[in-house]
Amino acid sequence: MLIKRREFLKISSLAAASLMMPDFLKAMTLEGALEPNQKILVVLQFTGGNDGLNTIIPVRNDIYFRERNNIAIKDSLPLNDETGINPALSYFKELYDNGELSVMNNVGYPDPDKSHFRSMDIWHSASRSDEFLETGWLGRFLDEECHRCEHPTQALEVDDMLSLALKGENNKAFAFKDPKRLYQTSQEKYFKALYDHHHEDETVSYLYQTLGSTLNNADYIFEKSKARKTDQTYPNSQLGKDFRTVASLIKSDINTQVYYLSVGSFDTHVNQNERQKKLFSDINEAVKSFVADMKSNGLFNNILLMTFSEFGRRVAQNASNGTDHGTANQMFFISGGLKKKGLLNPLPDLQHLNEGDLIYTEDFRKVYATILKNWLKADSSKVLGWKNGVYDFV
């Protein structure tokens, strides 16, 4: 069967995604679901460089209020005598009070890069700042799991494109925005025709075969996503919809252990407080619904929600009531299975800065090593090459 060039181009976006994960697609046809009590990781990326100092607030620090005379958060919700949390994250305060949230302050890496793209690559790949890797830390986790597991461990990203974090050398995650839309697209006649198409060129033939595998599994993902309908109400924001998708899959029999989401942009050079408040409100309500959903299904103890951003912001505000690109930042960890709760380490030192920027004290690769070793039960040294110990909050 001959497919015209215009029709071929119509499927190019699906081809771009599906070519990334042939091994994953083969695994999707397997019946094996996650074992009972299997730990699940949900990563929420704060894209754009969230301002950590207006997220977790040093309420007794005069330097903070002096350097941010217009944008300092003065009505934060208290976590302890010296620390508050942005009032738009009221549910995070509730999680903190319940012992279901941990905060790692001042996370970064040596010789930080203030470019969005480069710093995000460093966080995604878990590389040094002078090292360039083509694989991501979770992609290499998938590579490692495929060598020792009966079924390859799988990951899903709720997005149109796959992030570097989930690209391994031999195994890659699967990215899609909406299971129903993926399924509906796969039912179009030109996609259906791929099953019957053959081509003498090996590369083109592989393209069609891989697309055919994608179509074959679109139905599988869609069916799993609607297998366990939820009574939980989610906000109508994009992030709320994304968390609903993740929740429906977690409650199904799909054998997925890692879910990846993103929200942003947090690039708040101008009028920061208004933008950050809107983003935090969306995050707050989406996470509230997701946690309630997991709790009502007895799953919360086996779920770890981790947040990160590619960098923080500078200590001093700029002339536009915003902040410019900085360095270290905090990470949140939300779960019913935390071993250590609350603030895991001291707040950033505002007295000792590097040309106006925070000096990190915690390396993000140690956090990754902790998640891999203690939560996902993987060999963190093989995945990361990190042999400098781990934390004990999970």
Side-chain angles (χ1 to χ4, degrees):
M1 177 180 178
L2 180 64
I3 295 182
K4 297 179 181 179
R5 179 177 180 274
R6 182 171 57 182
E7 296 163 359
F8 181 84
L9 291 176
K10 185 178 180 182
I11 64 174
S12 61
S13 61
L14 185 58
S18 63
L19 276 173
M20 296 177 184
M21 67 301 288
D23 290 339
F24 171 83
L25 290 169
K26 294 174 185 176
M28 288 292 293
T29 61
L30 298 172
E31 291 297 324
L34 288 180
E35 297 178 2
N37 300 318
Q38 181 80 51
K39 302 295 187 183
I40 293 173
L41 173 66
V42 181
V43 179
L44 178 57
Q45 173 181 299
F46 290 1
T47 304
N50 175 49
D51 179 27
L53 287 175
N54 273 18
T55 305
I56 296 295
I57 295 96
V59 297
R60 294 186 181 274
N61 194 309
D62 293 339
I63 299 173
Y64 166 78
F65 290 99
R66 184 185 71 220
E67 296 295 325
R68 298 180 167 218
N69 57 309
N70 291 330
I71 68 167
I73 304 297
K74 299 177 180 178
D75 58 346
S76 65
L77 306 175
L79 300 182
N80 59 29
D81 290 343
E82 297 184 353
T83 312
I85 191 169
N86 193 292
L89 293 172
S90 58
Y91 184 64
F92 282 54
K93 153 72 170 169
E94 184 178 329
L95 291 168
Y96 179 94
D97 291 341
N98 291 341
E100 297 165 340
L101 180 142
S102 296
V103 183
M104 179 74 74
N105 294 297
N106 219 35
V107 185
Y109 55 90
D111 301 316
D113 194 301
K114 294 184 183 181
S115 160
H116 288 294
F117 302 105
R118 178 57 189 145
S119 190
M120 190 65 83
D121 277 353
I122 291 169
W123 276 84
H124 279 188
S125 64
S127 68
R128 300 187 309 270
S129 58
D130 63 348
E131 181 183 27
F132 293 83
L133 301 179
E134 296 182 357
T135 58
W137 72 286
L138 289 170
R140 297 196 298 275
F141 161 69
L142 294 177
D143 284 343
E144 177 63 24
E145 290 298 289
C146 286
H147 288 296
R148 66 181 181 86
C149 295
E150 181 180 355
H151 303 316
T153 303
Q154 294 156 13
L156 295 175
E157 180 170 9
V158 186
D159 207 335
D160 292 322
M161 294 297 294
L162 188 67
S163 298
L164 173 61
L166 296 120
K167 297 178 182 179
E169 184 70 31
N170 302 307
N171 295 278
K172 297 174 176 65
F174 187 91
F176 62 94
K177 196 65 176 174
D178 176 63
K180 184 176 181 180
R181 188 173 66 184
L182 177 68
Y183 171 73
Q184 290 173 336
T185 302
S186 74
Q187 300 306 299
E188 295 184 11
K189 63 178 182 178
Y190 298 123
F191 292 94
K192 289 287 191 181
L194 292 173
Y195 287 111
D196 301 321
H197 187 81
H198 302 282
H199 198 282
E200 293 182 359
D201 183 273
E202 183 178 351
T203 302
V204 177
S205 178
Y206 175 73
L207 167 67
Y208 283 109
Q209 291 173 8
T210 307
L211 281 169
S213 297
T214 305
L215 303 180
N216 185 49
N217 288 290
D219 178 67
Y220 173 82
I221 297 172
F222 178 52
E223 290 302 317
K224 292 300 182 185
S225 72
K226 66 178 185 178
R228 294 284 301 277
K229 293 184 178 180
T230 180
D231 295 328
Q232 180 65 43
T233 300
Y234 281 79
N236 198 37
S237 64
Q238 184 59 58
L239 186 61
K241 295 174 182 176
D242 292 347
F243 265 112
R244 177 192 285 273
T245 296
V246 170
S248 67
L249 289 167
I250 288 175
K251 291 184 292 183
S252 77
D253 290 330
I254 199 169
N255 53 346
T256 304
Q257 195 171 5
V258 178
Y259 296 87
Y260 202 96
L261 306 144
S262 60
V263 61
S265 171
F266 280 92
D267 198 18
T268 52
H269 292 279
V270 179
N271 296 326
Q272 172 177 292
N273 287 5
E274 291 82 355
R275 177 63 178 166
Q276 199 177 39
K277 179 180 179 180
K278 173 63 170 64
L279 287 166
F280 281 165
S281 296
D282 287 348
I283 292 166
N284 191 72
E285 295 309 305
V287 170
K288 183 177 182 179
S289 294
F290 176 70
V291 171
D293 206 349
M294 295 299 98
K295 285 184 175 182
S296 66
N297 285 273
L299 297 168
F300 188 51
N301 286 359
N302 295 321
I303 306 293
L304 177 64
L305 171 59
M306 179 188 86
T307 75
F308 82 96
S309 197
E310 69 263 37
F311 48 64
R313 318 294 290 190
R314 291 178 66 80
V315 174
Q317 69 176 63
N318 61 26
S320 302
N321 288 327
T323 52
D324 298 324
H325 298 182
T327 53
N329 213 337
Q330 78 271 133
M331 300 177 71
F332 290 118
F333 307 94
I334 296 171
S335 177
L338 297 173
K339 292 181 179 178
K340 284 192 174 181
K341 295 106 176 181
L343 301 176
L344 299 174
N345 62 330
L347 297 176
D349 183 353
L350 303 189
Q351 289 185 312
H352 300 93
L353 305 177
N354 180 15
E355 298 181 348
D357 287 321
L358 299 176
I359 301 172
Y360 88 102
T361 57
E362 314 299 330
D363 196 304
F364 78 98
R365 290 165 295 185
K366 186 174 180 179
V367 177
Y368 286 177
T370 303
I371 302 301
L372 289 166
K373 181 178 180 180
N374 294 352
W375 193 259
L376 297 177
K377 305 304 180 185
D379 189 332
S380 58
S381 63
K382 287 185 178 180
V383 175
L384 301 175
W386 182 265
K387 299 180 181 179
N388 296 337
V390 297
Y391 299 105
D392 58 356
F393 60 88
V394 292

